[in-house]
Amino acid sequence: MPSLVTPVLPPGTLNAAGQPRLPIDGGLMLRPWLPSDAAAVARVFRDPGIQQWHLRAADSEDEAREWIRQWRDGWESERACHWAVADADGDRVLGRVSLQAIIMIGGQAEVSYWTSPEARGRDVCSRAVARVSSWALEEVGFNRLELGHAAANVASCRVAEKTGFALEGVRRRALLHADGWHDMHLHARLQGD
């Protein structure tokens, strides 16, 4: 069936080349995930602060390694881009930032993120979200990035606001967490914002 519009991001926009490493001022790096990161991922997902706002836990390093395999496959399929937020030499995982649910025809994606307990309060997450957003909107040509978080998650709201994501509304009872239904804030940033 022919399309009536030209895709904002034609097939191959992302996966024609390898996933980039994106340096961040202040000694941070966004880099592709490695199988050897499984221990760090499993450790972070045992943290109560992560479990409060996420829907899954990692029961083992093998499970975390499978997640990493899926995250790496996202780049090849152009459905998602997942980066480890690491220190400048790339060894220590401090967090994750992702573009998920990519819609190539419309040039849209959802931003998601987390930080390890030891990286919280150091502006790691905001810098990573800002860097991946500028890469997506300014370098690649995405049209729209959305960012959603539980309305009760004040820290995530600060990240959204600090990185230029305007609050567009509240999605009532939109996500079921372990402690019940959560209203979700919907923020967005457009190319040119």
Side-chain angles (χ1 to χ4, degrees):
M1 177 180 305
S3 177
L4 296 175
V5 297
T6 302
V8 172
L9 302 173
T13 298
L14 298 175
N15 67 9
Q19 184 176 355
R21 295 172 60 91
L22 304 173
I24 302 172
D25 290 342
L28 297 177
M29 171 71 66
L30 299 181
R31 63 156 171 82
W33 284 95
L34 304 170
S36 59
D37 295 327
V41 172
R43 180 184 53 77
V44 167
F45 271 81
R46 285 191 292 272
D47 174 58
I50 289 288
Q51 291 178 1
Q52 180 179 6
W53 304 116
H54 288 79
L55 304 178
R56 302 185 333 181
D59 290 331
S60 67
E61 286 185 31
D62 286 340
E63 184 174 12
R65 208 172 343 277
E66 175 59 20
W67 292 359
I68 290 168
R69 186 195 62 74
Q70 292 170 14
W71 295 342
R72 291 173 63 90
D73 288 349
W75 180 264
E76 293 306 317
S77 66
E78 296 185 307
R79 289 189 315 256
C81 309
H82 302 270
W83 283 270
V85 182
D87 53 12
D89 64 14
D91 289 336
R92 191 168 57 123
V93 173
L94 302 173
R96 172 179 168 240
V97 65
S98 302
L99 299 175
Q100 300 185 90
I102 293 174
I103 303 171
M104 299 291 282
I105 196 163
Q108 301 170 19
E110 297 173 8
V111 177
S112 65
Y113 46 86
W114 51 257
T115 52
S116 65
E118 64 273 11
R120 293 183 193 138
R122 295 178 26 207
D123 206 29
V124 168
C125 195
S126 295
R127 290 187 288 156
V129 169
R131 181 64 179 103
V132 83
S133 299
S134 66
W135 174 82
L137 294 166
E138 298 164 19
E139 296 176 42
V140 178
F142 278 81
N143 174 59
R144 176 183 172 89
L145 300 179
E146 293 184 352
L147 188 159
H149 63 82
N153 188 339
V154 176
S156 276
C157 203
R158 279 195 302 266
V159 168
E161 292 168 347
K162 191 172 187 176
T163 56
F165 282 78
L167 179 62
E168 292 189 337
V170 176
R171 298 171 50 227
R172 297 177 304 136
R173 289 185 53 174
L175 194 60
L176 181 60
H177 283 264
D179 64 350
W181 288 101
H182 282 252
D183 292 348
M184 300 294 288
H185 279 177
L186 173 63
H187 297 261
R189 187 169 156 190
L190 305 178
Q191 190 180 82
D193 278 355

